[in-house]
Amino acid sequence: MTALLQIEDVTAGYTSDIDILRGVSVTVPPGSIRGLIGLNGAGKSTVMKTACGFLTPRRGRVRFDGEEITGIATHRLLRRGISLIPQESSLFPHLSVEDNLRLPLRAARRAGLSSDDALERTLERFPEIHGKLRADAGSLSGGQQKMVEFAKAHMLRPRLCLIDEPSIGLSPKIAGEVFGWIRQFADEGMAILLVDHNIRKVIELSDHTYVLTLGEITAEGPRSQFEGDMHEQVREWLGLNF
Ligand SMILES: Nc1ncnc2c1ncn2[C@@H]1O[C@H](COP(=O)(O)OP(=O)(O)OP(=O)(O)O)[C@@H](O)[C@H]1O
Ligand SMILES: [Mg+2]
């Protein structure tokens, strides 16, 4: 089966003298959830930025659905069906929730997607947003804002959703809901690349997980491989208890 996203041997950084990613290869097949775990500063968000065109690698390639997309701008990739739910908020706090939801559709101008139809479909998935459409996005709680972020991605009906640290700063209960949305997105056919500090949850949700250490993939495997000995190994690699 052709991979939907293929990051191949990518070396990338923010300045010409420092490589943050060194020869990273990550693959996401259609409709699957793949996990990426690693310590703070390992380069997880940098992998996400490379996949959605925010950062152009200096070596290696990125392919989407078999076509090379290395260096293609983010808004064009949005149009092709790649969405990012970033680690930091991407909402405009002084715009209404509804405007925040409709904005990416305008930016993406995806053929055949009407803003009204998309909103209706998205509100079916996230009915709690109905009563908040006119509120400023910035007036909502952290959990509600995260829901709007997910709804915003859902509006575009992406083929690939890059989800960076979705549970950060949320209570365990709300974080549990967030992981439920990710499962539902996958059930709707979206492929997902998931980064989160809740390593247990990433491994549980993903069919295959990559371990990133100082910009290099140091281990990877299917869920079953992260049980037993692998569990101990990952703890050791990451120096973490989980
Ligand atoms: N815009 C930037 N300009 C320069 N350096 C950056 C930039 N963004 C990140 N870095 C550096 O790149 C390295 C990797 O950062 P990145 O955000 O990808 O890590 P991460 O694994 O996502 O960490 P965290 O778990 O804290 O989110 C860090 O050393 C960071 O300081
Ligand atoms: Mg990060």
Side-chain angles (χ1 to χ4, degrees):
M1 193 193 299
T2 318
L4 189 61
L5 176 72
Q6 253 177 310
I7 297 172
E8 289 173 8
D9 201 18
V10 155
T11 294
Y14 299 93
T15 52
S16 59
D17 52 333
I18 301 172
D19 291 337
I20 301 294
L21 303 180
R22 292 172 292 149
V24 167
S25 295
V26 166
T27 298
V28 184
S32 72
I33 305 180
R34 295 239 149 158
L36 180 64
I37 57 177
L39 289 180
N40 287 336
K44 305 178 298 296
S45 295
T46 305
V47 171
M48 299 301 220
K49 288 178 201 165
T50 305
C52 72
F54 279 141
L55 191 63
T56 302
R58 41 181 151 263
R59 277 203 300 280
R61 283 194 296 207
V62 185
R63 287 177 201 273
F64 183 65
D65 205 11
E67 276 181 48
E68 180 152 2
I69 58 164
T70 322
I72 293 185
T74 305
H75 67 282
R76 291 189 194 280
L77 296 182
L78 199 65
R79 226 172 277 168
R80 290 199 194 190
I82 302 180
S83 282
L84 170 73
I85 300 179
Q87 185 167 349
E88 319 294 342
S89 171
S90 72
L91 303 180
F92 291 99
H94 300 300
L95 288 186
S96 70
V97 167
E98 181 167 347
D99 285 344
N100 269 284
L101 290 177
R102 289 186 189 267
L103 265 177
L105 265 184
R106 273 184 218 142
R109 292 199 304 269
R110 285 195 67 191
L113 274 186
S114 123
S115 184
D116 289 343
D117 291 351
L119 187 62
E120 193 176 323
R121 199 173 38 85
T122 294
L123 290 175
E124 277 169 26
R125 158 69 58 232
F126 298 102
E128 297 91 329
I129 291 180
H130 240 301
K132 310 269 181 216
L133 285 174
R134 289 181 197 285
D136 280 359
S139 71
L140 304 185
S141 71
Q144 289 168 336
Q145 289 194 33
K146 194 52 84 176
M147 186 186 290
V148 177
E149 294 269 7
F150 271 75
K152 194 175 130 185
H154 190 270
M155 290 283 288
L156 286 160
R157 225 186 292 173
R159 299 172 68 197
L160 171 70
C161 200
L162 307 162
I163 307 181
D164 197 356
E165 304 284 1
S167 79
I168 211 158
L170 301 178
S171 70
K173 180 174 172 289
I174 310 259
E177 286 178 27
V178 169
F179 289 120
W181 303 334
I182 294 170
R183 180 77 264 158
Q184 288 167 4
F185 274 20
D187 291 345
E188 286 181 23
M190 269 178 231
I192 287 164
L193 182 59
L194 173 64
V195 167
D196 201 87
H197 274 88
N198 188 336
I199 289 164
R200 228 180 232 295
K201 204 70 203 179
V202 172
I203 292 171
E204 183 191 312
L205 274 173
S206 306
D207 58 13
H208 188 105
T209 297
Y210 296 88
V211 180
L212 188 67
T213 311
L214 291 173
E216 288 180 77
I217 300 291
T218 46
E220 66 174 282
R223 190 182 302 115
S224 58
Q225 216 175 306
F226 285 84
E227 287 156 7
D229 286 351
M230 193 68 171
H231 179 91
E232 283 304 316
Q233 276 184 32
V234 175
R235 277 172 59 135
E236 211 177 290
W237 283 320
L238 297 180
L240 285 178
N241 287 319
F242 67 92

